[in-house]
């Protein structure tokens, strides 16, 4: 059964959110918490055992005493490869969604599960978050805020292609077990390039050429920095050479910078229209 809001949240006494220390692993404490949230959401240990054996493709042991089933559920999660633990989290969301559809729950069981799981991720410094049932990359809070702001502005101005490219850049960071860092960089700069093409009315030029042809696009000397950002993406992501693969921090930096550039351009467009 789902619990009411705990004391700390009722009184807004949450502590400062720690930095991200866990990314490509699933700590034992998280594995335990996942089963606990499933139980609090309304699933029995038998439900959990059925779900886990299907997701992990392992046969149940066959001892059906309640205490043994609980132990087996926990052990399955403890033994699973780390990417599959996050697969189990997504499957738990879907099972709780079906539970809500069969017997109305208030709040909806799957939405409650997602909110509680995300609160746990933030509290424990785990660099993932669940969005509509899917485990996605979670970066530092400033990065998340920049991506959210840029995406909102793109959608408000009907720049759906740029918005999709920016979302795809984040999705590439979420690939398991390894992020697609080159894809993330490519999509982030594609989002900027697509927006600048629309703003300049030049639908075919590359971002590098657009910066050269539109000297007022960015204030100097920042235009040189944006041009170098495009050059970095071209060399390390679009035309990558052996031994020149960018790192995850490189990709996170590029996505953050691309989001900031998009927000700047759209803010300036809005200001120009207001004059």
């Amino acid at each position: 059964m789902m619990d009411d809001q705990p004391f700390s949240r009722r009184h807004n006494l949450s502590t400062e959110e720690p930095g991200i220390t866990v990314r490509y692993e699933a700590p034992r404490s998280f594995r335990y918490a996942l089963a606990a949230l499933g139980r609090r959401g309304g699933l029995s240990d038998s439900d959990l055992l059925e779900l886990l054996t299907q997701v992990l493709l392992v046969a149940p042991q066959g001892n059906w005493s309640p205490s043994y089933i609980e132990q087996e559920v926990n052990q399955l999660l403890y033994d699973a490869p780390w990417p599959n633990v996050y697969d189990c989290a997504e499957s738990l969301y879907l099972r709780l969604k079906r539970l809500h559809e069969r017997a109305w729950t208030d709040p909806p069981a799957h939405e409650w599960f997602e909110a509680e799981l995300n609160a746990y991720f933030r509290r424990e410094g785990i660099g993932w978050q669940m969005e509509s049932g899917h485990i996605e990359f979670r970066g530092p809070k400033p990065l998340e805020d920049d991506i959210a702001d840029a995406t909102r502005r793109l959608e408000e101005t009907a720049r759906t292609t740029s918005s999709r490219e920016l979302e795809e850049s984040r999705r590439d960071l979420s690939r398991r077990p390894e992020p697609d860092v080159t894809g993330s960089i490519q999509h982030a700069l594609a989002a900027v390039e697509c927006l600048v093409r629309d703003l300049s009315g030049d639908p075919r030029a590359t971002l590098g050429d657009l910066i050269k042809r539109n000297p007022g696009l960015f204030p100097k000397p920042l235009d040189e920095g944006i041009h170098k950002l495009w050059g970095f993406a071209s060399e390390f992501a679009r035309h990558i050479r052996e031994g020149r693969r960018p790192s995850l921090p490189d990709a996170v930096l590029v996505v953050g910078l691309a989001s900031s550039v998009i927000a700047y351009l759209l803010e300036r467009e809005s200001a120009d229209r207001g004059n």
Side-chain angles (χ1 to χ4, degrees), residues 12-34:
N12 196 27
L13 297 175
S14 58
T15 57
E16 183 177 352
E17 186 176 308
I20 293 172
T21 57
V22 176
R23 182 80 70 189
Y24 298 104
E25 58 180 307
R28 184 179 177 89
S29 57
F30 164 55
R31 297 166 189 250
Y32 174 83
L34 195 58

Side-chain angles (χ1 to χ4, degrees), residues 143-219:
L143 172 67
E144 294 298 320
D145 291 344
D146 287 346
I147 295 174
D149 182 47
T151 301
R152 175 183 60 80
R153 291 172 184 267
L154 288 169
E155 292 174 351
E156 287 176 350
T157 57
R159 266 70 178 237
T160 55
T161 302
S162 292
S163 178
R164 284 198 301 269
E165 289 292 335
L166 188 58
E167 179 58 33
E168 189 62 31
S169 73
R170 185 177 176 187
R171 190 172 295 117
D172 282 337
L173 293 175
S174 302
R175 306 292 181 199
R176 303 191 299 267
E178 292 292 335
D180 182 0
V181 291
T182 57
S184 179
I185 291 173
Q186 289 180 43
H187 285 293
L189 267 295
V192 177
E193 187 174 68
C194 185
L195 174 60
V196 175
R197 283 174 174 173
D198 187 60
L199 291 170
S200 63
D202 191 341
R204 297 184 182 278
T206 66
L207 179 59
D209 288 337
L210 288 166
I211 295 172
K212 293 178 182 177
R213 295 175 188 176
N214 299 272
L217 195 62
F218 299 101

Side-chain angles (χ1 to χ4, degrees), residues 1-3 30-49 52 66-78 92 96 99 109 112-113:
M1 181 176 180
M2 290 176 290
D3 303 333
F30 164 55
R31 297 166 189 250
Y32 174 83
L34 195 58
L37 288 175
R39 295 179 183 111
R40 286 172 55 192
L43 298 179
S44 68
D45 281 306
S46 294
D47 295 330
L48 291 170
L49 181 60
L52 294 177
S67 61
Y68 188 87
I69 294 176
E70 178 181 357
Q71 179 183 347
E72 186 175 357
V73 165
N74 292 337
Q75 197 61 48
L76 283 171
L77 285 169
Y78 293 154
L92 270 170
L96 289 169
L99 176 66
W112 171 88
F113 172 77

Side-chain angles (χ1 to χ4, degrees), residues 2 30 34-35 37-39 41-43 47-48 51-52 55 85-102 105 108-118 121 129-135:
M2 290 176 290
F30 164 55
L34 195 58
L37 288 175
R39 295 179 183 111
L43 298 179
D47 295 330
L48 291 170
L51 181 147
L52 294 177
V55 174
V85 178
Y86 294 93
D87 295 339
C88 292
E90 293 180 340
S91 295
L92 270 170
Y93 174 92
L94 292 176
R95 181 64 63 90
L96 289 169
K97 185 176 182 181
R98 289 197 292 271
L99 176 66
H100 172 69
E101 291 168 351
R102 291 197 308 268
T105 54
H110 57 296
E111 294 179 7
W112 171 88
F113 172 77
E114 180 169 291
E116 290 294 316
L117 185 63
N118 285 335
F121 284 155
Q129 59 192 338
M130 179 173 278
E131 294 187 357
S132 300
H134 297 286
I135 298 292

